[in-house]
Amino acid sequence: MRLANKVALVTGASAGLGLAIAQRFGTEGAHVYITGRRKDALDAAKASVEGRVTAVPADVTVSDELDRVVDAIRRESGHLDAVVANAGSIERTNFGAVTEEHFDRTFDVNARGALFTVQKTLPLLRAGSSIVLVGSVAAVKGDPGAGAYSAAKAAVRSYARTWAAEFGDRGLRVNVLSPGPVDTPIIDGQSGYFGLDPAALRKHMSTLVPMGRLGLPDEIANGALFLASDESSFMTGAELCIDGGMAQV
């Protein structure tokens, strides 16, 4: 029970990595607050998380909705011990087809959403708390069709360095969790760009990973648990890559 008596927020927890992280936090004893844009998916996610869980529908790109999340946490728990800024999305398009709308959507959820999630929850974080920003190996890889996404995730990596320096005197830690390709529904949405069906795309992505397979959501959740727990108490401003070696070799 590595998160016993702790209060955690996981954004974008309706499915995929966010859901796996919320489920792991629940089994480790945390009171988990989860957010997502679709109430039906969020309700289903809530039912799958053990222990004490509170679901608050919210879009991290909408300031008023983030305020509603913070208000709910303040009323019910009064504080936070961990924030996992996980909400994100990828929409692949070649450079010549990038539009202002595509750029704004990508940066709104991946970069802007992470910043204001942390800014608005900061007053609730107690000394010793952990902020986990979910990045991506795309931030350091040349990934065709993912220019805006990769740049947004590079901004997330930069946030961790800056905030680790800014928040250190408050006793807060800030780290980045950067997955490689993981077998989640987000892969399905990229199949059109590659001209492959989802199964073929998963096979193709596996060939890009030195370990020869996709990651599993639970493997990423293990990393999030480590960063959120006291086991990483002397770690801040760092990046934990769980990528099967994709960005390492």
Side-chain angles (χ1 to χ4, degrees):
M1 302 292 283
R2 283 171 280 181
L3 299 180
N5 302 315
K6 293 185 181 292
V7 180
L9 167 66
V10 183
T11 65
S14 296
L17 298 185
L19 176 56
I21 292 168
Q23 289 170 333
R24 188 61 188 276
F25 283 16
T27 62
E28 292 290 340
H31 177 182
V32 188
Y33 288 83
I34 60 174
T35 73
R37 290 179 295 181
R38 295 189 297 112
K39 187 178 184 303
D40 56 342
L42 193 64
D43 287 343
K46 177 182 178 181
S48 74
V49 178
E50 291 184 22
R52 193 174 182 189
V53 56
T54 301
V56 186
D59 183 336
V60 297
T61 69
V62 180
S63 182
D64 289 347
E65 296 188 12
L66 279 176
D67 288 338
R68 187 168 67 237
V69 174
V70 172
D71 288 344
I73 298 169
R74 183 182 291 111
R75 287 194 310 269
E76 189 171 6
S77 298
H79 72 276
L80 278 167
D81 299 292
V83 171
V84 181
N86 165 76
S89 67
I90 179 171
E91 177 187 337
R92 289 185 182 267
T93 187
N94 289 327
F95 178 76
V98 171
T99 63
E100 293 180 6
E101 291 77 16
H102 164 80
F103 181 90
D104 290 345
R105 281 195 303 271
T106 302
F107 267 76
D108 272 357
V109 65
N110 293 291
R112 183 178 182 274
L115 188 152
F116 287 105
T117 294
V118 173
Q119 184 191 76
K120 289 177 180 292
T121 56
L122 192 63
L124 296 179
L125 288 165
R126 303 190 294 184
S129 295
S130 174
I131 298 168
V132 181
L133 309 177
V134 177
S136 171
V137 297
V140 296
K141 298 286 288 183
D143 193 6
Y149 175 78
S150 297
K153 289 301 187 181
V156 169
R157 178 65 186 95
S158 180
Y159 289 160
R161 291 189 174 100
T162 303
W163 297 345
E166 288 187 355
F167 307 159
D169 61 354
R170 289 191 48 179
L172 305 180
R173 298 182 297 107
V174 189
N175 294 289
V176 178
L177 175 63
S178 291
V182 182
D183 194 357
T184 68
I186 201 169
I187 291 181
D188 300 342
Q190 301 176 63
S191 59
Y193 173 84
F194 289 95
L196 299 170
D197 63 53
L201 179 56
R202 283 173 167 80
K203 184 176 181 179
H204 166 68
M205 286 188 169
S206 296
T207 67
L208 306 177
V209 180
M211 289 184 69
R213 66 173 178 85
L214 300 181
L216 301 175
D218 284 347
E219 292 175 312
I220 310 306
N222 289 339
L225 173 61
F226 169 70
L227 293 176
S229 74
D230 294 338
E231 293 177 0
S232 58
S233 58
F234 195 52
M235 185 175 179
T236 193
E239 181 176 21
L240 178 61
C241 294
I242 305 180
D243 62 357
M246 186 175 181
Q248 316 307 318
V249 300

